[in-house]
Amino acid sequence: MKKLLTTISCLLLITSLQAGNTLKRTPSVAVIPQPARMTVGDKVFTLRAATPICLLAEAPELAYAAELLNRTLAPVLGGELPVSDVRREKGILLSLSPAMRPEAYELKVAPRGVTITAGSPAGAFYACQTLLQLCPAAAGAAAVQIPCVEIEDAPAFDLRGMMLDVARHFFTVGEVKELLDLLAMDKINTFHWHLTDDQGWRIEIEKYPELTRTGSYRPYTTIKRTLTPDNTPHAGYYTRDEVREIVTYAARRFITIIPEIEVPGHAMAALASYPWLGCKGEGYAVWCRWGISKDVYCAGKETTFEFLEEVLDEVMDLFPSEYIHIGGDECPKDRWKECPQCQARMKAEGLADEKELQSYTMRRVERFVRSRGRKIIGWDEIYEGGLSNTAIVMSRYGNQRTGEVIARGNTVIMCPAKHCYFDYYQDDDYDREPIAHRSLLPIEQAYQLNPRKDFTESQLKQILGVECNLWTEYIPDFSHAQYMLLPRLDAFSDAAWSLAPRDYENFRCRVAVMFKRYDTIGYRYATHIFQQQ
């Protein structure tokens, strides 16, 4: 009964927001992710097109916050707010405080104006995201009334990430940018870009043009979970200039892009482009179905490592990220067991088995990446057969596995599949849902993510952050991707950012307000959170 009443109240809230102009009423205070501390007053600040944005610090990146406000508010107010570098009355004042944590901010809305103090331009940007969520999601008003609040906020984790797989299905530059805007709204600061896999190679490498000429194309895709071809070619890749454009776009939203180049498995697109990279040396094709191929990079050939180093050199030239993801997951050892060159490598290096050969491969690639001043990230499997203590493990198997990796001395990024894999079904009525991964991850379960649970303060120091993932085997277009992400992405951001007490019913009401905002923007979202239980 409590859930039903909450659902009704939330839906009434949506209805009231949809009914028209709400300026005569105090707007609902609903922010995602939830601020650490917030006090709500009983008055409002009236924001008009003439309200100035005052940047009271010498930081060029602070202008990104002003740009965000103007980009969002201009359609509502009928024009951009003036931007100044001097203090003005009844303005939005942005300043920096070196005493604060870099992404922390304080936001005070009073009847005479808005004051934002942040530890860095990123913190000011996040404060502006919060300010925008305090505004009613309406258009065409001469003024907007914002409730008076005092907020002190800072993130729970330094890295808050989202992974998009563009290898299985390609997404355009414009769609990636739209996703980055969505991530910024939820204060997610890392975009993990899965660029290569068996089904497609999506990044231009100048020294190896066949990777995109051959590796970015598949003639068909198998329908659902059958082997029946759909007879629809699929292709696409990002040029070097497009990658730079997206990296710059992300940086202006304080999002770091971590590229992933899969090693040593999930390599069929590369092997189809350059067959000498595999143990057999022939007979490869870009995969048109899902699953795990037994054909992987040959770890016995020096030419394989030369290729990988030259590819990674170009990748690191395009991405300034401190971290480079090199995969390491789901690498069958069948070909290595049959390959004379791989067996010779094992004997020469004193490796006991093929698991140690994978460890050798990952360590060697890591040494190269570190020689360029970067660090590697890899999936859980990279610690099988031995792991350097400088590698970062992306752990998807839950807290027990995360604890094992921490005990070995490694840093971890948590992405437990049971809470963070958004390619899973959202509802158990599979016949009514778009086809998805066979597993189930309803919104309630996504919200239950608690990255701090079961770990001591000492262990938490080895957890770099958390990430949610969207694999796209069954997600052919961006509209479908939005449906799979929203509102589970909101639930994830609450856990990744907020140190506030967890309250699912409170979250549901905040989502109700967020849906109105999504309607205004034009996002597609799932509504299971309001289905009667």
Side-chain angles (χ1 to χ4, degrees), residues 164-475:
L164 176 67
D165 164 27
V166 297
R168 275 52 177 265
H169 281 101
F170 179 75
F171 294 85
T172 67
V173 171
E175 290 167 342
V176 173
K177 287 181 176 180
E178 193 171 345
L179 176 61
L180 291 170
D181 284 335
L182 177 59
L183 299 185
M185 186 186 300
D186 273 348
K187 301 183 177 69
I188 292 171
N189 66 358
T190 303
F191 176 51
H192 170 188
W193 207 1
H194 185 83
L195 290 162
T196 71
D197 216 293
D198 292 315
Q199 294 81 10
W201 185 286
R202 306 297 181 198
I203 180 172
E204 178 186 21
I205 302 297
E206 285 186 332
K207 187 157 188 178
Y208 295 98
E210 285 300 322
L211 289 172
T212 47
R213 188 178 296 138
T214 297
S216 69
Y217 173 86
R218 62 176 186 263
Y220 64 89
T221 304
T222 55
I223 298 174
K224 296 185 178 180
R225 297 185 180 94
T226 71
L227 296 180
T228 304
D230 63 5
N231 298 320
T232 302
H234 190 83
Y237 67 91
Y238 307 97
T239 67
R240 291 169 61 85
D241 286 344
E242 287 173 335
V243 169
R244 292 189 184 99
E245 179 184 343
I246 291 171
V247 168
T248 299
Y249 191 90
R252 293 179 72 87
R253 287 146 183 79
F254 299 95
I255 295 173
T256 298
I257 299 183
I258 297 176
E260 180 177 358
I261 306 297
E262 277 274 12
V263 180
H266 289 287
M268 281 294 286
L271 271 56
S273 304
Y274 296 98
W276 48 264
L277 290 167
C279 293
K280 297 187 300 182
E282 61 182 1
Y284 306 115
V286 177
W287 253 28
C288 298
R289 59 188 178 92
W290 316 128
I292 302 173
S293 171
K294 293 181 180 180
D295 288 299
V296 301
Y297 287 114
C298 179
K301 299 176 183 177
E302 279 301 303
T303 49
T304 298
F305 292 97
E306 291 171 6
F307 166 84
L308 292 172
E309 290 177 3
E310 288 165 343
V311 166
L312 289 169
D313 242 345
E314 291 197 30
V315 169
M316 287 186 282
D317 179 57
L318 293 170
F319 294 92
S321 167
E322 178 183 5
Y323 304 106
I324 303 296
H325 203 302
I326 60 171
D329 62 311
E330 299 175 335
C331 177
K333 311 300 189 293
D334 306 62
R335 299 293 182 251
W336 289 353
K337 291 178 180 179
E338 303 165 353
C339 176
Q341 290 166 295
C342 287
Q343 293 300 309
R345 173 81 72 186
M346 289 171 57
K347 183 176 181 179
E349 298 292 338
L351 306 176
D353 55 27
E354 286 73 21
K355 286 186 178 180
E356 290 193 6
L357 181 59
Q358 174 161 342
S359 178
Y360 165 86
T361 302
M362 304 311 286
R363 286 174 182 265
R364 185 161 170 180
V365 173
E366 182 187 9
R367 283 197 301 270
F368 174 75
V369 171
R370 288 188 66 84
S371 74
R372 299 298 189 269
R374 312 293 184 90
K375 300 175 183 177
I376 69 158
I377 300 173
W379 299 103
D380 296 80
E381 290 92 334
I382 68 171
Y383 88 95
E384 296 176 358
L387 177 67
S388 75
N389 59 12
T390 54
I392 296 164
V393 176
M394 187 160 278
S395 181
R396 65 189 187 277
Y397 291 123
N399 286 5
Q400 181 176 345
R401 177 68 66 90
T402 297
E404 293 172 2
V405 175
I406 288 174
R408 298 171 77 121
N410 290 85
T411 300
V412 177
I413 298 171
M414 296 177 63
C415 58
K418 67 179 292 187
H419 299 295
C420 297
Y421 269 40
F422 295 162
D423 57 316
Y424 291 2
Y425 278 104
Q426 301 182 73
D427 187 85
D428 59 7
D429 189 352
Y430 292 175
D431 291 337
R432 294 173 63 92
E433 289 290 297
I435 187 170
H437 187 281
R438 293 178 185 275
S439 300
L440 177 66
L441 203 176
I443 180 64
E444 298 91 336
Q445 188 170 312
Y447 186 78
Q448 289 166 5
L449 172 66
N450 186 351
R452 303 178 67 85
K453 183 182 179 182
D454 299 332
F455 298 108
T456 66
E457 288 301 317
S458 176
Q459 290 174 316
L460 285 171
K461 292 178 181 178
Q462 289 176 244
I463 299 177
L464 181 61
V466 290
E467 177 181 286
C468 60
N469 299 324
L470 189 66
W471 302 101
T472 63
E473 285 92 338
Y474 305 111
I475 302 175

Side-chain angles (χ1 to χ4, degrees), residues 49-112:
T51 302
I53 303 172
C54 306
L55 309 181
L56 306 180
E58 294 184 6
E61 298 88 352
L62 204 60
Y64 299 165
E67 177 186 305
L68 166 69
L69 290 174
N70 271 325
R71 186 173 65 249
T72 308
L73 292 172
V76 177
L77 298 173
E80 293 191 354
L81 306 179
V83 180
S84 172
D85 59 359
V86 297
R87 184 183 296 269
R88 300 286 178 85
E89 288 295 317
K90 292 191 174 182
I92 302 174
L93 311 182
L94 280 69
S95 63
L96 302 179
S97 170
M100 298 175 69
R101 288 175 53 191
E103 292 183 307
Y105 68 89
E106 294 179 358
L107 169 63
K108 297 181 180 179
V109 180
R112 292 187 59 82

Side-chain angles (χ1 to χ4, degrees), residues 47 112 152 183 374 478 487 494 518:
L47 177 67
R112 292 187 59 82
E152 296 179 16
L183 299 185
R374 312 293 184 90
F478 190 57
D494 240 29
Y518 289 156

